Amino acid sequence: MHRVAISSTGLFIPPETISNEELVAAYNAYAQHENQVHAADIAAGTFTALTESSVAFIEKASGIKHRYVINKSGVLDPARMRPHIPARPDGQLSLMAEIAVDAAQQALTASGKTAADIDGVICAAANMQRAYPAIAIEIQTALGINGYAFDMNVACSSATFAIEQAVNAVRCGSARAVLVVNPEITSAHLAWKDRDCHFIFGDVCTALLIERLDLAPAGAFEILGTKLLSQFSSNIRNNSGFLARSEDRNPEARDLLFKQEGRKVFKEVCPLAAEHITSHLNAMQLKPSDVRRFWLHQANLSMNQLISRKLLGREATLNEAPVILDEFANTASAGSIIAFHRHQADIQTGEVGVICSFGAGYSIGSVIVKRLP
Ligand code: CO8
C-alpha cells in the first residue's frame, strides 16, 4: 500500500462576472415584463404576480456578492435568462473538456509533472454536457495521458468523492497519479427566472493532482483519510435526464433545472456535515481544535458559520475557515477545492486541515490532509 498526497491544484476562472446589482436588475426587468404580459390574469386572480429580487436579501441570506459565468449576456438578457453557449462540432474540444484541460495544465505545471507521469483522469461534476463518450476521456486525450478516464457525478460532493476514488487507485498501486477535474458549468442548469435561487451559483473548474507520496513534490499534502456519506433526499433535485423525452415532458418544465427546498437543506445538512467531520477526525484520533484550517463547501455563509460553531463551539475565523463564495457564489463540487487552492500557502509542515463538501444526494465527503516538509 502506498501513501498518497495532493501534489498540486489548478483553477480555471471564466472571464465574465455578474454582480448582484446586475443580476437583480435583469431579474426585475424580466419580472416587470411578465407582470405586464399577464396583467389581466393577475387582476383576475389566475396568475400570481412575480415579486422583485433584492441585492440586500441575496447578500444577507447567502453572503454571495458576485459570480463568474461562461456567458453573461444571455443570463442578463431579460428575454432569455440563460447563458448563450453555442453548440460545437463533434470534432472540436467540448466546453467542459476545454476548461478542465486549462485547470489540469495548471495543476501539472505547479507540481512539475507531465502527462507521462499520470495514469488516470476523473471528471467529477454536478452535471455532464453529454451522456457519452465520457468527458474525462476527451480530457485525457487532449492532455496526452495514457491509462484510463471516467466521469462521475455526486452533485456538490463530486470532487471529494472523486478524491477518494483517486486515493484508492494510487494507494493500491493501480495508478501512480490521477488527475481529478471539476468543470462546473452551473449557469446552464440554474433557473435564472426563479427568484428563490437565481443568485446561488457560478461557473468555474478546479483540478487536483492525487499522487503517490514518494513521487510528490516538497510541500505537498499527505491525505491521511477520506470519508464519504450519502443519504437520499429530494430536497435538492434536477429531473433532467434521458427519460425526459420519452416522458413527453415540456422541455421548459421547471423541474428539469436545479430546484431545492433551501430551508430544509440548511436545517438537515448542517448537523450532518458537522457530525461527519467530527466522527472522521475522531477516527483519526484528532479533534476539531487540532485542525489548522477547514476548507468547507461554499454554498452559504451562514451555513459554514453554523457548521464551524458546531465543530469548534464558536465561530471560526476567516483564517480557520476561509470564504470564497462572496466572489464565486456556489460552484457546486468545486467550492471547497477553490478554498483549498486559494488558502493553503501559509499552512506549516505537520499542520492538519479538512476539505469537506456537502450537497445534493444528500452527499458529504471529507478529506483530512497534513502538510509535508
Ligand atoms: N430577493 C428578495 N427576497 C427573496 C428572494 C430574493 N431573491 N428569494 C427569496 N426571497 C424571500 C422569500 O420569498 C421569503 O419571503 P417570506 O418570508 O415573505 O416568505 C424570504 O425571502 C425568505 O426566503 P427563504 O426562506 O427561501 O430564504 P432563506 O433565508 O432560507 O435563504 C437560501 C435562501 C439562501 C437558498 C438558503 O435557504 C440556503 O442557502 N439554503 C441552503 C442551500 C444549499 O446549500 N443548497 C445546496 C445546493 S448546492 C448542491 O447540492 C449542488 C446541486 C448541483 C448544482 C446545481 C447547479 C445549478
Side-chain angles (χ1 to χ4, degrees), residues 95-174:
L95 181 58
M96 284 183 74
E98 179 184 300
I99 66 175
V101 164
D102 184 297
Q105 277 166 338
Q106 292 180 39
L108 288 173
T109 304
S111 60
K113 296 292 155 85
T114 68
D117 300 308
I118 315 300
D119 293 324
V121 176
I122 305 177
C123 177
N127 221 333
M128 296 295 160
Q129 71 179 84
R130 63 168 179 263
Y132 42 80
I135 310 287
I137 302 177
E138 195 181 1
I139 297 164
Q140 174 198 0
T141 303
L143 289 168
I145 292 171
N146 294 319
Y148 68 95
F150 62 90
D151 292 347
M152 57 179 276
N153 174 0
V154 200
C156 285
S157 287
S158 298
T160 53
F161 276 53
I163 290 172
E164 180 168 293
Q165 307 322 304
V167 166
N168 289 343
V170 174
R171 181 170 285 146
C172 73
S174 62

Side-chain angles (χ1 to χ4, degrees), residues 52-54 57-58 61-62 126 155-156 186 189-190 195-196 198-201 236 258 260 262-263 265-266 297 299-300 303 330 332 358-360:
E52 296 200 352
S53 184
S54 107
F57 170 84
I58 293 171
S62 70
C156 285
T186 63
H189 51 124
L190 175 58
R195 183 182 77 130
D196 288 349
H198 76 123
F199 55 89
I200 295 183
F201 291 98
I236 312 168
F258 165 89
Q260 71 166 354
R263 279 274 157 112
V265 173
F266 197 112
H297 179 53
N300 178 299
M303 228 170 162
N330 182 343
F358 35 87

Side-chain angles (χ1 to χ4, degrees), residues 220-235:
F221 283 87
E222 178 167 11
I223 297 178
L224 300 180
T226 56
K227 183 176 159 82
L228 312 181
L229 173 87
S230 49
Q231 197 176 98
F232 188 70
S233 166
S234 285
N235 286 335

Side-chain angles (χ1 to χ4, degrees), residues 309-327:
R309 277 202 298 277
K310 285 181 185 291
L311 287 169
L312 298 169
R314 62 175 169 81
E315 210 157 284
T317 62
L318 284 178
N319 191 285
E320 290 167 321
V323 172
I324 56 94
L325 62 83
D326 52 342
E327 177 183 346

Side-chain angles (χ1 to χ4, degrees), residues 56-71:
F57 170 84
I58 293 171
E59 291 190 8
K60 187 164 172 285
S62 70
I64 295 164
K65 294 186 176 141
H66 14 74
R67 68 285 296 144
Y68 297 96
V69 287
I70 294 289
N71 171 259

Side-chain angles (χ1 to χ4, degrees), residues 12 70 93-104 182-185 204-205:
F12 165 84
I70 294 289
L93 196 66
S94 63
L95 181 58
M96 284 183 74
E98 179 184 300
I99 66 175
V101 164
D102 184 297
N182 319 106
E184 294 288 8
I185 308 179
V204 83
C205 181

